[in-house]
Structures are given as structure tokens and as C-alpha cells.
Amino acid sequence: MLFVNGPCPGKTDHRGSCQRETHYKPGTKMTDSKYFTTTKKGEIFELKAELNSDKKEKKKEAVKKVIASMTVGKDVSALFPDVVNCMQTDNLELKKLVYLYLMNYAKSQPDMAIMAVNTFVKDCEDPNPLIRALAVRTMGCIRVDKITEYLCEPLRKCLKDEDPYVRKTAAVCVAKLHDINAQLVEDQGFLDTLKDLISDSNPMVVANAVAALSEIAESHPSSNLLDLNPQSINKLLTALNECTEWGQIFILDCLANYMPKDDREAQSICERVTPRLSHANSAVVLSAVKVLMKFMEMLSKDLDYYGTLLKKLAPPLVTLLSAEPELQYVALRNINLIVQKRPEILKHEMKVFFVKYNDPIYVKLEKLDIMIRLASQANIAQVLAELKEYATEVDVDFVRKAVRAIGRCAIKVEQSAERCVSTLLDLIQTKVNYVVQEAIVVIKDIFRKYPNKYESVIATLCENLDSLDEPEARAAMIWIVGEYAERIDNADELLESFLEGFHDESTQVQLQLLTAIVKLFLKKPTETQELVQQVLSLATQDSDNPDLRDRGYIYWRLLSTDPVAAKEVVLAEKPLISEETDLIEPTLLDELICYIGTLASVYHKPPSAFVEGSRGIVHKSLPPRTGSSESAESPDAAPSGAPPSEQPAVIPTQGDLLGDLLNLDLGPPVSGPPVATSSVQMGAVDLLGGGLDSLLRSDVGGSPAMSGTTFTAPSTVMPANLGPPPSSGLGDLFDLAGGVGTLSGSHVAPKTVWLPAMKAKGLEISGTFSRQVGAISMDLLLTNKALQVMSDFAIQFNRNSFGLAPAAPLQIHAPLAPNQTVEISLPLNTVGSVMKMDPLNNLQVAVKNNIDVFYFSTLYPLHILFVEDGKMERQMFLATWKDIPNENEAQFHIKDCPLSADAVSSKLQGSNIFTVAKRNVEGQDMLYQSLKLTNGIWVLAELRIQPGSPSFALSLKCRAPEVSQYVYQAYETILKN
């Protein structure tokens, strides 16, 4: 080593050679670690001299020192020109080091980096394929705009290189280049070349081409880059057997995005993917499972192959559970999804989910969850024995979950309920505090599921009342005492003991205590009058919690104005609780199945929920099941006269009803489990499926016990029947006297109140629907009954059966002053998202203004969806009537309608119900009519009119029979105008 400025600062041995910190014995080989151990300052000048040395070895040593300094964070960018000069070498190791330096510093020295372009171009034509590949790989990693255009020619040559190693490297380089400058890649035709590489003879080139195209397609969801067809799928499946494990994952992920044209193609793909299930790499196994789970949707359950495939899927999933804990956890999270979608796959594998003593807690809890999902009558004895064992473990969290699991088993498998209850009683006898508290919480749920069956255990529960210190357990015990007060002699004493420290209790306990004492009073009014007055006073006058005060006032008003109504409300029969409260919502589950083996399947959330920005996020869904009856009308069964573009739309089944209402400008979406309903059921049915409570914070306050009581301090007497059927809209719910029943009046029904002012902070909305010259509109009357100005109005519809959506924004040009009313006609179209509702014509609406967001639902008359070209040719009518099965025919009677056949025909024609033919049979007028809905569904009708009689007989035939009831309602509405 040369020291230019003076003698060597290190020690010298007898031979005069410098010995620095790197002491080594003569004859032993030095490792590269020496480059990282130097502590010398001011090396740049020395390194510069060495980099320009004529000796190749010295040059290589110098570059290694530069890379070492760069790695430990020193700035060696000053040596850029000297290092770039070292590129002109035949030594592969030296070239790699220089390229490494170049990748790191090109961004900070873009002008200098252009010096290296010539060498890249030259290296791309080097006889050594390793050097060609190295050059093209480095080119992709230099993210400098100035250089990219110079790299196109070398890249084009490498994409067509004779060596597959170079081609596979070049394929990945295209994806990197696309990320830097997408337009350049498209203009240069690299995407077409990349598509050609899918047909390459080398499997690794195919895998990299697929990976690159998938990456590009993700950032441009609208572009159809991976235009897969049966031929290209065949090539991918051939390459699948021969490429590396990561290549296989790229290909399997690509296959999962393909939609086979029929069940035979789906089966063929499944047969060729199945061998991947026995791969040693768990990522390959999960990717194969994802493809199979997706394509199984298209296979008929009657097929022998379907059963074979189910049997083949179990062993690889079981094998994943013998890996290390972290991998086990990922596997278990994926299995949790698979079990929810197809429990039959693992129904015989219960034992592998039994917990081992040395499993980490996160694995134990996940196994426990899957055990409950797989619990059935066949294996429940085994499961209960295990759970009882777990309840004596030392890990508190795990014990709690095990006790809850026993309760879930009781609710899920009715035959096991008795054994579960006796197991829970045994656990209560252990007197272990947290075990007792969890047991009481789950016994409350068992009472809800099986009323009047296990109430004999209440005495045992009451013995443990003093040991309860957790809010949930105290609230559960109070609920039990209040619900079964008539069976507990000293119920008033027990509740009074809780009342002593009322203000120290949590809100959950206070709310439950208030309800329980009101229940007790309604059951034993003479003995508990003092107690109920005490609790109402504490809740309303001494509390500053708005939820508690509101509920207290409601009870106070109810009890003081109409005790009979109070009894019907507070002691109303509660619905039985469902067995699986924590199942993932079906549409989300289908989406997560498409993401098996990714982070989404571990979080159990779609990528859009945790990936920042929406770039590249495409919502995936499973293919429609073969032979499924979900479609409203099968396309091939449509009348042959109907053009193909007018095939009826498929109405998906009802999923998460809150749906798109949350897409209004509300800030981040509110997540979290649905709010559990408690004992106070006021008959209010939350049609928006659990998410509503958390959004209407100002009304509800987010209290779990308040799901039924969203109105505050009513001043009028409550009617006695506060229990509308679940099918009635939210409008019915809060406007109990009126509601939105069937329409009356002219073709356009008179406006009815959809959203009362008391429910919308002073905003009252009335409305109706109309159809004129093919245009549907929602005619609204907005009245400001508040004391402040309202502005910034917006409206949005939830997904609905016929895709109704606003065709324009809600235009209210001036702010709405107090006591001012404005009339608006909102144009609608039918191109919105579709989801089958119950009832079919239910429409859920969100209206936003500067004050808040308000929700209501209403029923629209179906005749606004009858289109103008709904008249069918006679021959077509006859053929279609015969073609529709007789079981699809529905019979109705229209009474009190004294009209002649001609008057009926012209009245109905005004609403696009067309008379195809008229006959007189035995003195009866027969009208044969047709109509067509906006989604292409045809309805055929036969109307029998007896002259002089005010009653008509109506027969309706349709391939979507669920529509008939609503068409009959439309007939009645129009004719009785």
C-alpha cells in the first residue's frame, strides 16, 4: 500500500510491510471483511490514485474499498468519474462492483451517469451472456430520466437475445423502465415484445414475462395487458412444471386472474395445477390453493372430480401446520377463510387444530377460532373435551377465549348445548375469577339462543355476583337478573346492590342496569316503584352521559304516558341470536379468497383497506357458480326477439347493505365489528346492517345497548305496536303513523314524508317518483325546519335491485334558510351498482348537507322501470308464454276497479304496459299484455275482465318470478288512480 504523504502510520514488521488493524498469519487467505474494518480518515485522495492505477489487481482492490465505504454510509460520490473509468474491463467481478456503485450514485450525479451509457451499449453486445444480462439489469435499476431513452436500443436487442438468461433479465427490466417512463415503453413497443415472450420456449423467460406484465397491469388496471386466452393459458401451464418456485408463483397468480369460458376448461386447469399442492415451498402451495378455490366455483358439486378435489386440498393445508410458528400463523389465517367458504374441505381434520402446549399464543387463538368453525354434531364431544382442558391453562387470554368457545359451540350445535352448559357450570365451580366472568358472559348468550331451557342455573350464577369486577360480566349478570326477574325472588335486592355505586360503573353497566330495573318494575310494579324512580333520577338528573340521559328520558316518558306501550317495547320478544356472529361478510369473503397467500388474507381486509392510495387496486371476485340460480333471468332463456345487448342483468344477493352510502365525503371509513344489540329492542330494524350506529354518533352515541333507541325524548305518546316487519323501509321505522306503503293517486303518487325533521336535525324530505318520456326522476321537497341555514347538499343511493342512481348532482343553488322549502326534480338512471334488496323495490338513500349525513329508505313503484319498447310481437308472446315454466306463473286479484277492458288497456298503456292481443271468451274480456323492465326482464300478463264486475283476475309469467308481486302492485296502483 502506498502512503503518499509521509510514513505509514501503522506498525511495521521486520520486513517493513505495513501491519494495520487486519492482523493475519502468513499463508492464511484474507476475507473481504477487511474492507469494512478500516477507521482511516481522508482516504478519498488515496482511492482516487488507486482507481487510476495501471495494475488490475490494485484497481479491483480500490473499487472494493469504495463499495465498502459506500455500504457503511460514507459519501464517495466524488470518485464517480474514476469508478466509471473502471467499467472498461473484462473482469466480471470488477464490472459487477462498478455497476453496483453506478446504481447507487446515478441519481445524485445524473450528468456523470450519461458517461456510462456507451459502456452499457457495448456490454449489451458482449459475447458473454452474463455480462449482457448484468448490463441490462443495471440499466433497469438506474432511475434517471435522461438515460432511459439511450437504453431502449440495447434493451430491444436483449429482449430478443439468443440466451434465455439475458431474455429473462430483460423482461424484468421492461417493468422497471415502465415504472420510470410508461409512455416511452409503450411507444417503443416493448409491451408487445413482452407479450410475445409468454410464448417463449424457456419456462423462466415465460415466468418473468408474466411477472413483468402483471406488475405493469397492476399500475394500469384499465389496460388489458394480460389478454389471456386458452392458448396462452396452455403455454403457462406447460411452463409451470419446469420453472423455479418463484416463477411458479408468478404463473399461478396470473392463472388466478383468468376467467375460464366454461366448467370443462376450469376442470382442465384445476387438474394441471393440482400437482403444485405437493410443492415444498408454502407460497407455491397457497397460490395453487387460491387458483383451485377460485375455479371450484365453476364446477358442479355433482361432479366426481369436485369430490376428488376437496379430498386433495386437505393434506397440503394440514402439512403447512407442521412448519415454524410464523408460517403456521399465515397458514391458519388463510385456512380460516377457506373454512368459512368451504368447511367440507377440512371437516375430518379437526385434530390438527388441537392446540399444542408450546404453540405461541397467536397460533393458539387462531387454532381455537378454526376449531369452532369446524365444530359439528359429529365431533362436538371431542371439541368440548379439548376446550375444557384449555380452560385450565395458565395463559389468561387463551383461557378466556376457550371459555367463550364453549359458549359458541353451544349456540352453533344445538345438541351439545346441555353438555356445554354443564361444562360451564363446572368451570364456575373452580371459582377462578376470570373464568367465572367469561362463563357468565357466554351463558347470557345461551339464554338468548335457547329461551326457557337452562334458566335453572340462574341460582348458581347469582352466588358469584360479588366476585364480578369486569364491566362485560357485570352487564351480562344484570341482564340475566332483569330478564328473569320474575323467577328470582330477591331480584330487587340484587339490582339495588349494583345501584349503590351507580356513578362508578362503566357506561355499559349503567345502561344495562337502567333497562333491567325498568324491566323489573314492569314485572313487579308494586314492589319496585321506589327503585325505578331512583334509577331514572340517577340516569337523567345526575348523569352527564347523553346516551344514559336519553334512554332514561325515553323510559320515563313511556312509563308516565302509556305503561302498556312501555311493556310492549321493553319486554318485547327478542330475536334469537345467530350462531356465527363473526363470519366475514360474503362479498368480502369472496374477494379475500382471490387474495389467498397475500397480506390481505392475513389481515382479513381487502388491499384497498391497508395499501396507501388506490393505485393499482382492483377489486376481485369469484366467478359465478355454474348452474347457479342467482341470476334474475338466464340470458339464453330470454325471448329470442330481444337483442343480445338487452339481456337481463344478474341481481346479486344482498350483502353488506351499508355499501356505497359510505362513499360520501365522510372522511375515513368507520371500521370495527357491528354494534351488538342488547336487551332494549324497540323494534327498530337497522336496515343498514350494523354500520349505521357508528356513523350516526350524534344520535346514538355509539353505545352498544342503544341500537334500538335512536330517537330522543319523544313528547308524544308512543303507539302500542312498535315493531314493523324487517321488510319495511327506514321511512316506516321513524314515521310510524304514515310510512311508504303502496302508492295511490295518479301515475305519479302524491309526495309522502321520507325523512321526518326530528330524524334529520330539522331537514324534512318528502318525495315521489315519476317517469316521463323515458326519463325517470325523483321529485323531492326539502324543508328546513331548523334554526340554521342549510347548504352543500349531496345525495347518494345504496346499491339496489335495479341499479337506480342519480344521473346528476343534487342542484340546490341557494342555501336553504330556516322555514324555507325548495322543490327539486332529480333525474335518475339505471346504470348504478346492482344488489338484490328485500323488498325488491327498496331504495336506501343518504343525503348530506353542511350539518350531517342522514339516511332513509323508501319503496319506489316498479312502473317507473317499465320501458317504452315493451310491446312484444304476438307470435313471440305466444312462444315465450309457452316457454316460461308453469311454476313461474303467479295469480292475483284486483278488486274494486269498475273499468271496461278498453279503459283498462289505455290506462295501462300510459305506464308502458302494452296490450298485445284482446279476445272475448264466454263473455269474459281477455287482455294479453307485455312489459319490459329497464334491466331487460320481460313480464307477460293475462288480465281477465268480467263486464259489470269490479274484480279482475291477473296472471303474470316471468323468468324472474320474484318480480311478479311488485308488477301486480304496479297494476293495482295504476288502475285504481
Side-chain angles (χ1 to χ4, degrees), residues 32 35 59-69 93 97:
D32 285 346
Y35 299 111
K59 204 180 257 191
K60 192 161 108 182
E61 288 286 306
V63 173
K64 281 186 179 180
K65 287 178 194 170
V66 170
I67 298 295
S69 300
E93 189 185 0
L97 291 169

Side-chain angles (χ1 to χ4, degrees), residues 313-322 335 346 349 352-353:
L313 275 167
L317 293 172
V318 170
T319 307
L320 291 176
L321 298 182
S322 53
I335 288 169
L346 289 159
E349 304 291 345
V352 299
F353 299 107

Side-chain angles (χ1 to χ4, degrees), residues 83 127 437 550 767-768 879:
V83 175
Q437 306 208 62
D550 282 359
T768 186

Side-chain angles (χ1 to χ4, degrees), residues 881 884-891 942 944 955-958 961 964:
W881 186 278
I884 296 174
N886 286 335
E887 56 264 29
N888 282 22
E889 186 171 347
Q891 307 281 348
E942 179 189 74
R944 291 191 294 283
S955 298
L956 295 174
K957 259 192 166 187
C958 176
S964 300

